[in-house]
Amino acid sequence: MSDCLFCRIVAGEIPADVVAENEAAIAFRDITPVAPKHSLVIPRAHHANLVEVAAAAPDDLVKMVQLAGEVAAVEGIAEEGYRLVANTGAAAHQTVFHAHLHVLGGRSMGWPPG
Ligand code: 5GP
Ligand code: ZN
């Protein structure tokens, strides 16, 4: 989808600070980090949210989670812990409707989330 921001990052039309990648997904640092370590893991193929990835391409969902684990290792937060977040829908504050996992770490996380 040429009008999708994250599809344009996948296509290389918009630059991104890539942390790790595999055949199905790309991880790059969030442009507006809300934690000391904040990356996004996105599928190369366009799906609106994670549930749609699970329905259409379940293998890609597994590869996204594997890549999130690699990001945590690269960022040095695998041992202390980190949070994977998938805002889904407007009420959950999803703003980009190309599926993504936030990988958040480098500080203690509050619970319940806001
Ligand atoms: P959402 O609110 O949909 O869960 O998350 C979308 C995320 O994409 C936000 O955290 C936002 O900061 C990030 N974002 C939006 N535009 C860009 C961009 O052009 N580059 C990068 N690296 N991140 C972006
Ligand atoms: Zn897209």
Side-chain angles (χ1 to χ4, degrees):
M1 289 176 70
S2 58
D3 59 343
C4 170
L5 175 66
F6 287 175
C7 281
R8 295 187 69 195
I9 287 178
V10 172
E13 295 169 10
I14 295 174
D17 184 4
V18 174
V19 180
E21 55 188 313
N22 62 27
E23 64 272 33
I26 304 177
F28 52 89
R29 294 196 172 86
D30 197 292
I31 203 167
T32 310
V34 299
K37 305 292 183 184
H38 185 178
S39 290
L40 302 170
V41 175
I42 71 170
R44 291 183 188 274
H46 182 88
H47 305 281
N49 58 51
L50 273 198
V51 173
E52 292 200 3
V53 179
D59 291 352
D60 287 5
L61 183 60
V62 171
K63 289 183 176 123
M64 287 177 68
V65 176
Q66 289 170 336
L67 195 60
E70 277 183 45
V71 169
V74 168
E75 297 288 47
I77 54 176
E79 297 302 320
E80 68 195 49
Y82 54 93
R83 185 169 289 173
L84 299 182
V85 173
N87 297 325
T88 305
H93 210 276
Q94 184 176 3
T95 58
V96 178
F97 289 84
H98 178 128
H100 51 281
L101 272 175
H102 296 259
V103 184
L104 297 160
R107 64 170 167 82
S108 180
M109 297 289 156
W111 192 264

